[in-house]
Short mmCIF file of all heavy atoms in Angstrom, two decimals:
data_model
loop_
_atom_site.label_atom_id
_atom_site.label_comp_id
_atom_site.label_asym_id
_atom_site.label_seq_id
_atom_site.Cartn_x
_atom_site.Cartn_y
_atom_site.Cartn_z
N PRO A 1185 12.72 -53.31 -25.94
CA PRO A 1185 12.76 -54.78 -25.55
C PRO A 1185 12.58 -55.71 -26.67
O PRO A 1185 11.91 -55.32 -27.73
CB PRO A 1185 11.54 -54.84 -24.60
CG PRO A 1185 10.60 -53.84 -24.92
CD PRO A 1185 11.46 -52.69 -25.42
N LEU A 1186 13.09 -56.95 -26.50
CA LEU A 1186 13.01 -57.85 -27.66
C LEU A 1186 12.00 -58.97 -27.25
O LEU A 1186 11.79 -59.37 -26.16
CB LEU A 1186 14.36 -58.60 -27.80
CG LEU A 1186 15.49 -57.79 -28.47
CD1 LEU A 1186 16.72 -58.68 -28.57
CD2 LEU A 1186 15.01 -57.50 -29.96
N VAL A 1187 11.22 -59.22 -28.34
CA VAL A 1187 10.11 -60.23 -28.14
C VAL A 1187 10.62 -61.58 -27.81
O VAL A 1187 11.70 -62.02 -28.30
CB VAL A 1187 9.32 -60.32 -29.45
CG1 VAL A 1187 8.35 -61.48 -29.42
CG2 VAL A 1187 8.53 -58.93 -29.82
N ASN A 1188 9.89 -62.32 -26.97
CA ASN A 1188 10.24 -63.75 -26.58
C ASN A 1188 9.54 -64.64 -27.50
O ASN A 1188 8.42 -64.76 -27.27
CB ASN A 1188 9.89 -63.86 -25.06
CG ASN A 1188 10.20 -65.27 -24.55
OD1 ASN A 1188 11.20 -65.86 -25.19
ND2 ASN A 1188 9.53 -65.69 -23.54
N PRO A 1189 10.19 -65.25 -28.52
CA PRO A 1189 9.47 -66.19 -29.45
C PRO A 1189 8.85 -67.27 -28.69
O PRO A 1189 9.32 -67.80 -27.67
CB PRO A 1189 10.68 -66.71 -30.29
CG PRO A 1189 11.83 -65.70 -30.11
CD PRO A 1189 11.65 -65.17 -28.67
N PRO A 1190 7.67 -67.74 -29.15
CA PRO A 1190 6.95 -67.33 -30.45
C PRO A 1190 5.92 -66.17 -30.12
O PRO A 1190 5.06 -66.05 -31.04
CB PRO A 1190 6.25 -68.59 -30.76
CG PRO A 1190 5.89 -69.25 -29.57
CD PRO A 1190 6.94 -68.94 -28.53
N GLN A 1191 6.05 -65.49 -29.05
CA GLN A 1191 5.13 -64.44 -28.78
C GLN A 1191 5.23 -63.36 -29.85
O GLN A 1191 6.25 -63.27 -30.54
CB GLN A 1191 5.34 -63.87 -27.36
CG GLN A 1191 5.04 -64.79 -26.27
CD GLN A 1191 5.54 -64.31 -24.87
OE1 GLN A 1191 5.58 -63.11 -24.72
NE2 GLN A 1191 5.82 -65.22 -23.99
N SER A 1192 4.20 -62.50 -29.95
CA SER A 1192 4.23 -61.41 -30.90
C SER A 1192 4.45 -60.07 -30.34
O SER A 1192 4.56 -59.03 -31.08
CB SER A 1192 2.95 -61.51 -31.68
OG SER A 1192 2.79 -62.68 -32.46
N GLY A 1193 4.51 -59.91 -29.03
CA GLY A 1193 4.78 -58.62 -28.37
C GLY A 1193 5.36 -58.61 -27.02
O GLY A 1193 5.12 -59.63 -26.34
N ILE A 1194 5.86 -57.52 -26.63
CA ILE A 1194 6.45 -57.35 -25.32
C ILE A 1194 6.29 -55.87 -24.91
O ILE A 1194 6.62 -55.03 -25.81
CB ILE A 1194 7.88 -57.79 -25.22
CG1 ILE A 1194 8.42 -57.66 -23.75
CG2 ILE A 1194 8.74 -57.13 -26.15
CD1 ILE A 1194 9.79 -58.26 -23.51
N LEU A 1195 5.82 -55.61 -23.72
CA LEU A 1195 5.60 -54.19 -23.25
C LEU A 1195 6.73 -53.89 -22.32
O LEU A 1195 7.07 -54.61 -21.37
CB LEU A 1195 4.34 -54.15 -22.48
CG LEU A 1195 4.02 -52.74 -21.90
CD1 LEU A 1195 3.76 -51.65 -22.96
CD2 LEU A 1195 2.84 -52.78 -20.96
N GLY A 1196 7.40 -52.72 -22.59
CA GLY A 1196 8.52 -52.36 -21.75
C GLY A 1196 8.15 -51.14 -20.89
O GLY A 1196 7.72 -50.12 -21.48
N MET A 1197 8.30 -51.32 -19.61
CA MET A 1197 8.05 -50.13 -18.72
C MET A 1197 9.33 -49.53 -18.37
O MET A 1197 10.42 -50.19 -18.43
CB MET A 1197 7.41 -50.77 -17.39
CG MET A 1197 6.00 -51.36 -17.60
SD MET A 1197 5.59 -52.42 -16.17
CE MET A 1197 5.63 -51.13 -14.83
N HIS A 1198 9.30 -48.30 -17.88
CA HIS A 1198 10.60 -47.61 -17.54
C HIS A 1198 10.43 -46.79 -16.39
O HIS A 1198 9.44 -46.81 -15.71
CB HIS A 1198 11.00 -46.69 -18.85
CG HIS A 1198 11.25 -47.62 -20.11
ND1 HIS A 1198 10.23 -47.80 -20.99
CD2 HIS A 1198 12.40 -48.20 -20.55
CE1 HIS A 1198 10.71 -48.63 -21.97
NE2 HIS A 1198 11.98 -48.82 -21.71
N ALA A 1199 11.49 -46.09 -16.04
CA ALA A 1199 11.54 -45.24 -14.85
C ALA A 1199 10.48 -44.10 -14.85
O ALA A 1199 10.25 -43.58 -15.96
CB ALA A 1199 12.95 -44.68 -14.60
N ILE A 1200 9.98 -43.91 -13.66
CA ILE A 1200 9.06 -42.79 -13.45
C ILE A 1200 9.88 -41.48 -13.20
O ILE A 1200 10.47 -41.40 -12.11
CB ILE A 1200 7.97 -43.05 -12.42
CG1 ILE A 1200 7.27 -44.31 -12.76
CG2 ILE A 1200 7.06 -41.88 -12.24
CD1 ILE A 1200 6.26 -44.83 -11.59
N LEU A 1201 9.74 -40.50 -13.98
CA LEU A 1201 10.58 -39.24 -13.75
C LEU A 1201 9.49 -38.04 -13.87
O LEU A 1201 8.73 -37.98 -14.71
CB LEU A 1201 11.62 -39.06 -14.83
CG LEU A 1201 12.74 -40.21 -14.90
CD1 LEU A 1201 13.53 -40.03 -16.18
CD2 LEU A 1201 13.46 -40.22 -13.63
N GLU A 1202 9.75 -37.12 -13.04
CA GLU A 1202 8.94 -35.97 -13.00
C GLU A 1202 9.44 -35.03 -14.25
O GLU A 1202 10.61 -34.70 -14.32
CB GLU A 1202 9.01 -35.16 -11.74
CG GLU A 1202 8.34 -35.82 -10.58
CD GLU A 1202 8.18 -34.95 -9.32
OE1 GLU A 1202 9.03 -33.99 -9.25
OE2 GLU A 1202 7.35 -35.29 -8.46
N ARG A 1203 8.52 -34.71 -15.07
CA ARG A 1203 8.79 -33.93 -16.21
C ARG A 1203 7.79 -32.82 -16.47
O ARG A 1203 6.63 -32.99 -16.13
CB ARG A 1203 8.89 -34.76 -17.51
CG ARG A 1203 10.19 -35.66 -17.46
CD ARG A 1203 10.38 -36.36 -18.83
NE ARG A 1203 9.47 -37.44 -18.97
CZ ARG A 1203 8.54 -37.54 -19.89
NH1 ARG A 1203 8.24 -36.53 -20.78
NH2 ARG A 1203 7.79 -38.61 -20.10
N PRO A 1204 8.10 -31.69 -17.03
CA PRO A 1204 7.14 -30.72 -17.47
C PRO A 1204 6.22 -31.25 -18.63
O PRO A 1204 6.83 -31.58 -19.66
CB PRO A 1204 7.90 -29.42 -17.74
CG PRO A 1204 9.35 -30.02 -18.18
CD PRO A 1204 9.47 -31.22 -17.41
N VAL A 1205 4.92 -31.07 -18.50
CA VAL A 1205 4.02 -31.62 -19.62
C VAL A 1205 2.94 -30.50 -19.67
O VAL A 1205 2.60 -29.83 -18.82
CB VAL A 1205 3.50 -32.94 -19.40
CG1 VAL A 1205 4.48 -34.00 -19.32
CG2 VAL A 1205 2.70 -33.02 -18.12
N ALA A 1206 2.34 -30.45 -20.87
CA ALA A 1206 1.19 -29.48 -21.09
C ALA A 1206 -0.05 -30.16 -20.62
O ALA A 1206 -0.33 -31.37 -21.03
CB ALA A 1206 1.12 -29.16 -22.50
N HIS A 1207 -0.90 -29.50 -19.81
CA HIS A 1207 -2.14 -29.99 -19.26
C HIS A 1207 -3.18 -28.84 -19.26
O HIS A 1207 -3.04 -27.90 -18.50
CB HIS A 1207 -1.94 -30.58 -17.88
CG HIS A 1207 -3.20 -31.11 -17.29
ND1 HIS A 1207 -3.81 -32.22 -17.75
CD2 HIS A 1207 -4.00 -30.63 -16.21
CE1 HIS A 1207 -4.88 -32.45 -17.10
NE2 HIS A 1207 -4.99 -31.49 -16.14
N GLU A 1208 -4.20 -28.94 -20.13
CA GLU A 1208 -5.24 -28.00 -20.16
C GLU A 1208 -4.68 -26.60 -20.38
O GLU A 1208 -5.20 -25.71 -19.73
CB GLU A 1208 -6.17 -28.06 -18.95
CG GLU A 1208 -6.88 -29.41 -18.78
CD GLU A 1208 -7.72 -29.47 -17.49
OE1 GLU A 1208 -7.64 -28.53 -16.71
OE2 GLU A 1208 -8.37 -30.43 -17.39
N GLY A 1209 -3.79 -26.55 -21.22
CA GLY A 1209 -3.27 -25.15 -21.67
C GLY A 1209 -2.22 -24.61 -20.66
O GLY A 1209 -1.66 -23.52 -20.95
N THR A 1210 -1.76 -25.32 -19.72
CA THR A 1210 -0.67 -24.91 -18.81
C THR A 1210 0.41 -25.89 -18.80
O THR A 1210 0.13 -27.10 -19.04
CB THR A 1210 -1.20 -24.55 -17.45
OG1 THR A 1210 -1.74 -25.80 -16.89
CG2 THR A 1210 -2.27 -23.52 -17.46
N VAL A 1211 1.57 -25.53 -18.27
CA VAL A 1211 2.69 -26.35 -18.17
C VAL A 1211 2.73 -26.85 -16.75
O VAL A 1211 2.86 -26.00 -15.71
CB VAL A 1211 4.02 -25.78 -18.56
CG1 VAL A 1211 5.24 -26.80 -18.23
CG2 VAL A 1211 4.01 -25.48 -20.03
N VAL A 1212 2.68 -28.20 -16.44
CA VAL A 1212 2.70 -28.77 -15.07
C VAL A 1212 3.82 -29.74 -15.01
O VAL A 1212 4.16 -30.35 -15.97
CB VAL A 1212 1.31 -29.32 -14.67
CG1 VAL A 1212 0.27 -28.28 -14.66
CG2 VAL A 1212 0.89 -30.46 -15.69
N ILE A 1213 4.12 -30.13 -13.74
CA ILE A 1213 5.20 -31.12 -13.51
C ILE A 1213 4.40 -32.46 -13.12
O ILE A 1213 3.59 -32.45 -12.12
CB ILE A 1213 6.16 -30.72 -12.38
CG1 ILE A 1213 6.80 -29.38 -12.73
CG2 ILE A 1213 7.19 -31.84 -12.11
CD1 ILE A 1213 7.66 -29.39 -14.01
N ARG A 1214 4.62 -33.47 -13.84
CA ARG A 1214 3.87 -34.72 -13.65
C ARG A 1214 4.86 -35.93 -13.62
O ARG A 1214 5.92 -35.87 -14.35
CB ARG A 1214 2.87 -34.96 -14.66
CG ARG A 1214 1.63 -34.05 -14.63
CD ARG A 1214 0.94 -34.23 -13.43
NE ARG A 1214 -0.20 -33.31 -13.28
CZ ARG A 1214 -1.45 -33.48 -13.76
NH1 ARG A 1214 -1.67 -34.47 -14.51
NH2 ARG A 1214 -2.38 -32.52 -13.58
N PRO A 1215 4.59 -37.02 -12.84
CA PRO A 1215 5.40 -38.20 -12.95
C PRO A 1215 5.13 -38.97 -14.13
O PRO A 1215 4.03 -39.54 -14.29
CB PRO A 1215 5.02 -39.04 -11.62
CG PRO A 1215 3.61 -38.45 -11.40
CD PRO A 1215 3.46 -37.12 -11.90
N MET A 1216 6.03 -39.01 -15.11
CA MET A 1216 5.81 -39.56 -16.32
C MET A 1216 6.69 -40.87 -16.60
O MET A 1216 7.78 -41.01 -16.11
CB MET A 1216 6.11 -38.64 -17.51
CG MET A 1216 5.38 -37.32 -17.37
SD MET A 1216 3.58 -37.37 -17.49
CE MET A 1216 3.42 -38.02 -19.26
N MET A 1217 6.08 -41.77 -17.38
CA MET A 1217 6.80 -42.92 -17.68
C MET A 1217 6.70 -43.23 -19.25
O MET A 1217 5.62 -43.07 -19.78
CB MET A 1217 6.24 -44.21 -16.96
CG MET A 1217 6.84 -45.52 -17.43
SD MET A 1217 5.95 -47.02 -16.83
CE MET A 1217 6.31 -47.06 -15.16
N TYR A 1218 7.84 -43.55 -19.87
CA TYR A 1218 7.76 -43.93 -21.27
C TYR A 1218 7.46 -45.42 -21.40
O TYR A 1218 7.98 -46.27 -20.49
CB TYR A 1218 9.15 -43.67 -21.94
CG TYR A 1218 9.40 -42.27 -22.26
CD1 TYR A 1218 10.53 -41.66 -21.63
CD2 TYR A 1218 8.60 -41.53 -23.14
CE1 TYR A 1218 10.76 -40.31 -21.88
CE2 TYR A 1218 8.94 -40.20 -23.40
CZ TYR A 1218 10.01 -39.60 -22.79
OH TYR A 1218 10.24 -38.28 -23.08
N LEU A 1219 6.64 -45.78 -22.24
CA LEU A 1219 6.17 -47.22 -22.54
C LEU A 1219 6.73 -47.51 -23.94
O LEU A 1219 6.69 -46.63 -24.91
CB LEU A 1219 4.58 -47.35 -22.54
CG LEU A 1219 3.89 -47.12 -21.18
CD1 LEU A 1219 2.55 -47.34 -21.36
CD2 LEU A 1219 4.50 -48.11 -20.10
#
């Protein structure tokens, strides 16, 4: 995302997708979002 001047930051949220992730030594499927 592009900053809205004169601000200094903008947070971009994205789609929630189920993906395999490592959790406590095992692979689990979790709803993940990139920020």
Side-chain angles (χ1 to χ4, degrees):
L1186 285 179
V1187 172
N1188 183 22
Q1191 297 173 22
S1192 296
I1194 179 172
L1195 178 68
M1197 300 165 54
H1198 299 90
I1200 301 173
L1201 299 174
E1202 289 192 341
R1203 291 190 280 114
V1205 295
H1207 178 70
E1208 297 180 352
T1210 61
V1211 177
V1212 295
I1213 303 298
R1214 292 293 176 86
M1216 304 297 294
M1217 175 193 288
Y1218 286 118
L1219 297 179

